[in-house]
Amino acid sequence: MLTRFKKRFLDLPISQKFVSIFAVMTLFSSALMVAALHIGLSVFEEKLYEKSLQELDFFVQRIDDDLQQMDVLTRSIAVDTTIQSQLAQLTAADPEPGDDCRAKLTDALDSTPAALYCCRPKVSA
């Protein structure tokens, strides 16, 4: 079979020989480029997946740390009798615009140790 293929190839005119050799080389180089592209993209996909996992893990750890800090802060507020009494007075205070009692209680709550850990937005005028 190989000798028959070789004889048929040798019997072809020179232009058809060049075209067939060019076609075989083109197919070979195309297959090589597709294989290289497949290998490169699979490595890229694996590295991208690993990097995404690392970033998600870091993000989850930060959220977990923030939730633990919030839990500690909530517990400290819940068991602090001073804060609880000030909150009770604050809810009982009359919300009249001219009443300074509510403002004093709010300032007292802001000066407690638990309020120092709280991230309160700054009001800018």
Side-chain angles (χ1 to χ4, degrees):
M1 181 168 160
L2 186 61
T3 57
R4 197 170 71 175
F5 181 70
K6 184 178 177 183
K7 179 155 176 40
R8 284 183 66 194
F9 180 73
L10 292 175
D11 289 342
L12 289 174
I14 188 110
S15 63
Q16 289 183 354
K17 286 180 186 176
F18 278 123
V19 168
S20 61
I21 289 174
F22 181 73
V24 168
M25 289 177 58
T26 303
L27 287 174
F28 179 72
S29 65
S30 296
L32 187 65
M33 285 190 302
V34 167
L37 185 64
H38 178 69
I39 291 170
L41 288 178
S42 65
V43 169
F44 174 74
E45 182 180 339
E46 183 180 329
K47 294 295 180 184
L48 181 67
Y49 180 73
E50 288 175 7
K51 185 69 174 172
S52 297
L53 281 178
Q54 288 174 353
E55 289 181 12
L56 284 174
D57 185 47
F58 177 71
F59 183 67
V60 167
Q61 286 176 359
R62 284 188 45 208
I63 289 177
D64 188 44
D65 291 343
D66 289 344
L67 286 175
Q68 286 178 357
Q69 288 176 351
M70 187 63 77
D71 186 43
V72 168
L73 181 62
T74 304
R75 287 179 192 211
S76 68
I77 290 173
V79 297
D80 191 352
T81 56
T82 308
I83 293 176
Q84 291 302 318
S85 66
Q86 289 175 347
L87 284 173
Q89 291 174 2
L90 187 60
T91 54
D94 192 18
E96 293 292 325
D99 190 13
D100 288 337
C101 180
R102 190 171 181 90
K104 288 178 186 176
L105 288 172
T106 305
D107 290 341
L109 278 174
D110 286 339
S111 65
T112 59
L116 298 177
Y117 296 108
C118 217
C119 299
R120 299 187 67 170
K122 303 285 185 198
V123 178
S124 57

